Amino acid sequence: MSKRVVLAYSGGLDTSVAVHWMGKELGVEVIALAADVGQGGDFSAIEDRARAAGAVEVEVVDARADLAAHYVAPAIRANARYEGRYPLVSALSRPVISAALVDAARRYGADAVAHGCTGKGNDQVRFEVSVRALAPELEVLAPVRMWGLTREDCIAYAAAHDIPVQVRSDSPYSIDENLWGRAIECGVLEDPWESPPADVFALTAETATGERSFSLTFDEGVPTALDGRALPLEQLVAEVGAIVGPYGWGRVDMVENRRVGIKSREVYECPGALAILAAHEDLEGLTLERDVAHEKARLEPRWAELVYDGLWFSPLRQAIDAFVESTQRHVSGEVRLTCSPGRCDVAGRRSEVSLYDYELATYSAGDRFEHRHAEGFVRLWGESLSTWARRQGGAG
Ligand code: ARG
């Protein structure tokens, strides 16, 4: 059995009880690691809570720049949306946190890491598979899966052991948030027929009127500037979200297939992420050669599925990323988006390395397309069907 454990600590009820419970029931020393992935909140209060719960060491790791540069940027380049819709918010933060856990375990001489996930979700899969891919020698503990306590039991446990917790008994939702967006589960959302109530949303609400346009500059597939102003990616996502969110745009409401075989109703709000993905995908329309674009589109769902399934640290994800990266060399340029109540649409795009050739595309004067070349091309294109029709009757 392990002696020192690094726990991914959120500051919430479950992980606070986990600090104390692991000390008492498993006889281990707990090092609490709180990762800042852009979820907001008061980290010094979180630190105090971890100590009060019995952590021997507490560490806050600012993982925002790492998450943006090494996880969100590849997700943008891959137009990543699980099942065509969910931009992988939680799925991207788990490998970052896992890497931080492994790093801390090595520095503190711990022989195990732990997370506060239940047995029903994807996040346990992502933590455990990631940690084992990075450090197969470490044990991974899942106290919440071991203890069988209900929410009420946890509240009673915390009270009995003087563990300070912030229990918002008024909020029935389970929320996971980072710089790429917010995921909301539970409560009334568990009925897929019920509309999400207004109080589940924090980043999107239709308050803006009129129209607003803004432009995003991309450099090799990654957004680098908003209206010509260079910004670090994490800030750019937030600022784009602050423009489009007030138009009530950037929500996803879906029933999704979890890795553990459960269908679950999920509500996401990711205004910055969805606007950036729409712009990136559009710019690829202008700058990617046809076959590359089509092949990339075939690989994108696979990339999203791998990451969703907890296989960030896998050779296949790395290999697809190498392909994706090689496609992005010329995905540079500018995309203009226009917001109006309830909407955000791409309205224009341009690039110095655009493959759009006006002289080939135009129907007006200035047309340089060789019309006479079309005749032979089209005839040969359909040659086998003509043969089929002559010899076997064809479609008639
Ligand atoms: N269903 C999403 C996913 O698997 C969101 C998970 C959110 N986690 C949470 N504790 N609310 O990525």
Side-chain angles (χ1 to χ4, degrees), residues 160-223:
H161 297 93
D162 291 321
I163 302 169
V165 287
Q166 273 190 323
V167 178
R168 292 161 307 157
S169 48
D170 51 315
S171 173
Y173 308 116
S174 163
I175 295 167
D176 185 52
E177 182 163 4
N178 64 50
L179 59 89
W180 198 225
R182 256 175 114 238
I184 310 115
E185 298 172 338
C186 301
V188 65
L189 300 176
E190 287 176 355
D191 178 350
W193 177 249
E194 282 293 326
S195 303
D199 69 352
V200 307
F201 298 110
L203 307 174
T204 56
E206 202 181 304
T207 53
T209 53
E211 258 192 24
R212 174 158 177 191
S213 291
F214 63 96
S215 80
L216 291 175
T217 306
F218 286 83
D219 190 10
E220 299 192 11
V222 180

Side-chain angles (χ1 to χ4, degrees), residues 86 90-91 94 122-123 126 174-176 183 185 256 266 268 308:
Y86 165 45
S90 306
R94 301 319 181 206
N122 297 311
D123 289 329
R126 296 166 185 154
S174 163
I175 295 167
D176 185 52
E185 298 172 338
E256 103 193 0
E266 303 282 335
Y268 301 107
Y308 183 89

Side-chain angles (χ1 to χ4, degrees), residues 51-136:
R51 277 187 218 288
V56 296
E57 302 273 0
V58 186
E59 197 170 293
V60 176
V61 174
D62 184 351
R64 289 173 294 179
D66 187 22
L67 173 59
H70 303 119
Y71 299 81
V72 168
I76 295 170
R77 290 195 290 256
N79 295 319
R81 294 182 195 84
Y82 178 65
E83 296 186 337
R85 302 181 71 190
Y86 165 45
L88 299 175
V89 175
S90 306
L92 291 171
S93 75
R94 301 319 181 206
V96 188
I97 300 170
S98 300
L101 288 172
V102 168
D103 176 61
R106 291 190 172 140
R107 281 186 289 109
Y108 287 101
D111 44 13
V113 300
H115 61 74
C117 306
T118 70
K120 293 178 75 166
N122 297 311
D123 289 329
Q124 58 173 345
V125 178
R126 296 166 185 154
F127 279 125
E128 292 175 40
V129 171
S130 296
V131 169
R132 290 188 182 122
L134 291 169

Side-chain angles (χ1 to χ4, degrees), residues 76 79 81 218 276-286 300:
I76 295 170
N79 295 319
R81 294 182 195 84
F218 286 83
I276 288 168
L277 289 170
H280 175 265
E281 202 161 28
D282 188 278
L283 184 60
E284 288 192 330
L286 192 67
E300 285 169 356

